[in-house]
Amino acid sequence: NMYACAVTYYKQLDSLLSHTLQYLYSSLNSDGQRRLQAEQGAWEEKKEIYFKKIDARVEKMHKRTMEGLDDDMISTDNKAAFLKDRLTTLLSI
């Protein structure tokens, strides 16, 4: 059931990231909000590229590994780590 744990962890980080962004937007002046919005947009693009790359790798691995959720669990954990890095960056603002 490690895959379910990885999904839960990912969802919690995603929620925390969303709430952190909302808090930061509300606490910044309009110039700061614009900068954060631009920075976040660039990060979202990087996230999309990274997640597509991970998903493509998992698809290739499924053809060579036993059926199961190990590859999905690892990719979900890698995605969570990507979110955690962004969250750490935002919390240092």
Side-chain angles (χ1 to χ4, degrees):
N1 204 14
M2 291 170 57
Y3 175 67
C5 291
V7 169
T8 299
Y9 178 61
Y10 174 86
K11 288 179 180 180
Q12 289 172 341
L13 278 174
D14 190 47
S15 177
L16 183 57
L17 179 59
S18 177
H19 284 89
T20 300
L21 282 166
Q22 289 175 3
Y23 172 77
L24 288 173
Y25 280 127
S26 69
S27 65
L28 293 171
N29 63 26
S30 59
D31 288 338
Q33 288 175 347
R34 279 192 290 276
R35 282 194 304 272
L36 181 57
Q37 190 171 24
E39 183 183 313
Q40 186 63 20
W43 180 84
E44 290 285 343
E45 289 177 15
K46 289 178 186 177
K47 174 185 155 195
E48 186 175 324
I49 292 166
Y50 180 69
F51 281 20
K52 282 182 182 180
K53 188 173 160 182
I54 287 176
D55 291 341
R57 188 174 15 180
V58 168
E59 280 301 312
K60 287 180 186 177
M61 293 298 292
H62 277 309
K63 295 174 185 172
R64 291 185 278 159
T65 60
M66 294 175 51
E67 295 227 7
L69 296 174
D70 288 349
D71 297 328
D72 294 319
M73 184 265 310
I74 292 167
S75 72
T76 302
D77 191 55
N78 287 332
K79 290 176 181 181
F82 194 82
L83 297 184
K84 185 178 178 185
D85 286 344
R86 178 64 178 155
L87 188 57
T88 300
T89 300
L90 289 173
L91 292 174
S92 68
I93 291 178

